[in-house]
Amino acid sequence: MPQSLRVPAAVGLPLALLAGTAIPAQSRVNGALGTALDDSVAAALVSFGVGLTVMIVVSAALPRGRAGFAQILPAVRERRFPPVYLLAGVIGAWFVLTQTLTIAILGVAVFTVATVAGQTLTGLVVDRMGIGPGGKKAVTLMRVVGAVLTIAAVAWAVSPKISGTSDPGDWLLAVLLPLSAGMAMSFQQAMNGTTGMHYGSPITATLLNFVSGFAALLVVWVIELMVSGPGNPLPETWWYYLGGPLGCIFIGVSAMLVRTLGVLLTSLGLIGGQLIGSLLLDIFLPAPGSTVVAATVFGTALTLAAIVLATLPWNMPGVRLLGRRARR
């Protein structure tokens, strides 16, 4: 069986932070595309279509991509992993669709809190269940504290924007969509890490993510087209089409890292990157009316501290909560 690359934690965490910065940029791009098209489903479909094109080119051009592609049929035929793992891209499609559906209602701040809350909490569950390629990981005090502290830090970082919302009732129902997408993302990362390990390359796992996600969105778009008719034509602004490539970076890096770091720690690194990316966007490419305040800066710093806390040795005396570390 081919073996995927194992990345040391000292390298993996900075990579997770870097990949996480792609998400706020993708949210900004996909939100703008959805507004231009006046069609959230079409915007998500275009984003996935561009990402799929990029991954086809990468898979064909790189030796690891070609080698991984050759392992798809053997892996499926030999049932090296549950067949449902091939549908991990549907979760990514749901995440992108929730971006285009709710960013205009919630704003990036509330969207971030909802996805982070879901992603962090289910990261603990997924690691404990052993769905990812790293096997089962025990629930320890440091991991729980790190997860809770991350949620609190993100809420603090975006609190000025949330407090500026006119009526929380306007977005209370809409917030359930990104919450569900965040909860599903931990499972997606575990599934991608497992399939990438058996293909021997995260490139192939990322490619199949875009295949299944694009197919799911295409079905929804065709139904919408028959019911409502077409929306606006594709805009000429070039950066509206960067959402897909940014998703390639996020999915590919997370699929590579979960085997070494586990789902929770990978998620925390990606979350830290999301806050850093949002902060950089607000400083250097601010949206109309956005400002950088102390709570945003200190909340981001606290998130990074929570990630460091979660990386402390899990076998320290007195920190284990639930039994012995499960054998791989």
Side-chain angles (χ1 to χ4, degrees):
M1 181 183 68
Q3 296 295 318
S4 59
L5 179 66
R6 293 184 67 92
V7 181
V11 177
L13 274 175
L15 279 178
L17 289 170
L18 183 61
T21 61
I23 292 301
Q26 185 191 50
S27 297
R28 179 81 66 86
V29 169
N30 286 342
L33 179 60
T35 301
L37 293 176
D38 193 26
D39 188 336
S40 299
V41 176
L45 180 65
V46 170
S47 178
F48 257 75
V50 175
L52 176 58
T53 302
V54 170
M55 291 312 304
I56 290 174
V57 172
V58 171
S59 298
L62 298 182
R64 287 183 65 87
R66 295 193 297 270
F69 187 83
Q71 288 294 321
I72 294 176
L73 287 180
V76 174
R77 186 168 53 245
E78 297 168 11
R79 302 184 72 87
R80 298 175 187 171
F81 49 80
V84 71
Y85 283 22
L86 294 170
L87 300 179
V90 176
I91 296 175
W94 175 240
F95 178 80
V96 172
L97 186 58
T98 60
Q99 283 179 330
T100 59
L101 282 171
T102 64
I103 285 292
I105 301 172
L106 302 176
V108 176
V110 180
F111 182 90
T112 301
V113 169
T115 55
V116 163
Q119 192 175 353
T120 304
L121 292 176
T122 54
L124 284 170
V125 176
V126 170
D127 272 348
R128 182 58 184 166
M129 292 172 63
I131 296 175
K136 293 184 178 180
K137 295 184 182 295
V139 177
T140 65
L141 180 60
M142 293 301 179
R143 291 169 67 83
V144 173
V145 170
V148 173
L149 189 59
T150 298
I151 296 174
V154 173
W156 184 24
V158 301
S159 59
K161 297 180 182 180
I162 295 177
S163 62
T165 304
S166 57
D167 183 6
D170 293 340
W171 47 262
L172 189 57
L173 182 60
V175 81
L176 295 177
L177 296 180
L179 177 65
S180 67
M183 294 176 69
M185 281 180 68
S186 293
F187 290 90
Q188 182 196 30
Q189 289 166 8
M191 293 157 72
N192 286 339
T194 299
T195 57
M197 179 183 68
H198 289 289
Y199 299 142
S201 172
I203 296 173
T204 309
T206 306
L207 171 66
L208 292 187
N209 259 254
F210 278 94
V211 170
S212 60
F214 181 80
L217 287 170
L218 183 60
V219 171
V220 175
W221 179 75
V222 169
I223 295 173
E224 181 192 55
L225 186 65
M226 292 188 296
V227 173
S228 305
N232 296 333
L234 292 174
E236 297 181 358
T237 306
W238 65 270
W239 59 267
Y240 284 178
Y241 303 97
L242 294 179
L246 289 169
C248 293
I249 296 172
F250 180 83
I251 295 172
V253 172
S254 62
M256 178 178 63
L257 294 180
V258 290
R259 185 182 181 197
T260 302
L261 302 183
V263 175
L264 177 63
L265 193 52
T266 299
S267 297
L268 295 183
L270 294 171
I271 288 166
Q274 289 179 48
L275 288 181
I276 292 172
S278 298
L279 185 61
L280 292 176
L281 278 176
D282 284 345
I283 293 174
F284 296 106
L285 294 171
S290 65
T291 57
V292 177
V293 297
T296 302
V297 177
F298 290 128
T300 301
L302 183 58
T303 301
L304 299 179
I307 295 170
V308 173
L309 182 64
T311 64
L312 292 178
W314 300 336
N315 57 354
M316 291 174 60
V319 301
R320 191 173 303 278
L321 294 182
L322 298 178
R324 298 178 179 179
R325 172 184 273 178
R327 294 181 179 177
R328 296 190 178 184

